[in-house]
Amino acid sequence: MSADGSADGSADVSAGAVDKSADENAGVAGRGAGVPDSPAARLQALFEGHRLTPTQRRIAHSMVRRAADVPFLSSVELAELAGVSQPSVTRFAVALGFDGYPALRKHLREVAPAEPAADSGSYNEYQQAVEAEIENLRHLAEVLADPRPVQKAGRLLAASRPLPVLGLRAAASQAYGFAYFAAKVHPDVRLLNEGGTMIHDRIDSAVQAGATTLLCFALPRHPREVVDALTYAKEAGLTVVTVADSAFAPVAKESDLLLPAAVGTGLAFDTACAPMLLGRVLLEAMCDDLPDAQARLEEFDAKAAARGLFVE
């Protein structure tokens, strides 16, 4: 496809995709019948169905992001990685049904690769940030081994007329980028990238116009008004599809379908290559369910050429 750019309390946690709709056989993101397994997916499965505190969700998220390394970390090292206390790691292992962290680590060594990830100690801080993003992208590729959650999301987005796209603060650029390209193939995309009291009005307006689904980009730090907006959207009858940094993000309970894509935290400000790429994947899935998507893109290209819109 062408066109420009070319085409804190406790909570029940489920890993990968959080989907309470009738289409439950779509499976958890990154897992499913006939789908290659991965260390991250096996960790997600270990956490699935457990009631975890916010601190424990933080530990779980850190473990998933470093799935290949975790079986070789001490409880002190894992605590440092997650930014929690060592006793919190012990309590986390007990919450998962193990006698303590040594028992959990033994289990992880049985289900994870036999070798730890390559040592990146020789990299400077900038290279380490890039390597971390590469690992996030690898993890996203593992999640996408099961395409069904993304395909389902694409159908939901394509069918919603209009389609509201929400992203505030750090996630505003992700929402804007998605909405910019989506508007080239979808007849009515409504960007919600400014918070405040009017956001409920704009959700109401979209529902009154016939919207059935809201797409949300949710990245840390998670604004309270995003959680409030999603709660309001669900009460208004919208299906909520969310791209978030983790299956354990605060927005998980307010999402019907959650697609995780990790952010990098090695620099002063988070990096979000994986969420951006997942947004483009969602665009592709949506296009697959819009029969006139290609025709719309070709029409745009013709008009752009006639106007001399781009410098070749």
Side-chain angles (χ1 to χ4, degrees):
M1 294 183 182
S2 53
D4 63 0
S6 300
D8 233 338
S10 59
D12 288 314
V13 175
S14 76
V18 179
D19 185 1
K20 301 181 181 67
S21 68
D23 192 13
E24 291 181 350
N25 61 359
V28 173
R31 298 169 57 228
V35 176
D37 211 349
S38 71
R42 277 170 262 169
L43 276 175
Q44 299 263 30
L46 177 63
F47 306 143
E48 190 174 353
H50 290 280
R51 191 172 182 84
L52 303 179
T53 67
T55 296
Q56 291 166 349
R57 292 201 304 269
R58 186 171 183 174
I59 298 170
H61 176 49
S62 298
M63 292 176 69
V64 170
R65 290 185 58 203
R66 298 282 297 275
D69 297 327
V70 164
F72 306 93
L73 300 180
S74 68
S75 60
V76 174
E77 290 171 327
L78 178 55
E80 182 178 345
L81 176 66
V84 302
S85 67
Q86 189 274 337
S88 293
V89 172
T90 300
R91 288 193 293 269
F92 172 72
V94 172
L96 295 179
F98 296 92
D99 292 336
Y101 181 72
L104 171 58
R105 186 171 63 175
K106 179 177 183 296
H107 174 76
L108 295 179
R109 288 179 175 177
E110 293 170 354
V111 300
E115 297 294 335
D119 180 23
S120 60
S122 62
Y123 294 143
N124 63 43
E125 60 178 316
Y126 311 125
Q127 291 175 301
Q128 288 174 7
V130 173
E131 289 294 323
E133 282 296 82
I134 292 173
E135 184 59 33
N136 287 341
L137 292 174
R138 287 197 184 100
H139 182 206
L140 178 60
E142 292 173 357
V143 170
L144 293 175
D146 180 1
R148 292 173 296 177
V150 168
Q151 290 169 342
K152 180 181 179 182
R155 291 193 298 270
L156 291 169
L157 302 180
S160 185
R161 310 290 175 87
L163 172 61
V165 180
L166 171 66
L168 303 182
R169 294 185 179 267
S173 61
Q174 305 292 331
Y176 177 86
F178 181 94
Y180 174 78
F181 289 111
K184 299 184 184 301
V185 295
H186 192 289
D188 192 354
V189 179
R190 303 190 182 186
L191 178 62
L192 311 179
N193 64 345
E194 296 180 356
T197 58
M198 287 187 63
I199 197 166
H200 289 184
D201 297 340
R202 299 186 66 188
I203 291 173
D204 285 338
S205 177
V207 171
Q208 291 165 4
T212 54
T213 299
L214 178 145
L215 173 62
C216 174
F217 288 86
L219 301 178
R221 302 171 65 185
H222 294 275
R224 182 182 302 278
E225 57 189 336
V226 170
V227 178
D228 293 342
L230 294 189
T231 301
Y232 189 84
K234 286 178 64 68
E235 291 173 349
L238 291 175
T239 297
V240 173
V241 175
T242 302
V243 172
D245 60 298
S246 166
F248 313 103
V251 294
K253 288 182 65 177
E254 309 305 327
S255 304
D256 296 291
L257 179 59
L258 189 148
L259 304 171
V263 302
T265 59
L267 301 176
F269 299 100
D270 290 348
T271 51
C273 295
M276 182 192 71
L277 181 54
L278 182 52
R280 298 299 189 267
V281 170
L282 277 175
L283 280 167
E284 187 74 12
M286 185 180 73
C287 286
D288 290 341
D289 275 273
L290 289 170
D292 57 348
Q294 187 62 41
R296 285 177 175 270
L297 287 175
E298 292 173 356
E299 180 183 4
F300 174 85
D301 277 346
K303 290 181 177 180
R307 294 163 55 194
L309 190 58
F310 302 110
V311 178
E312 300 297 337

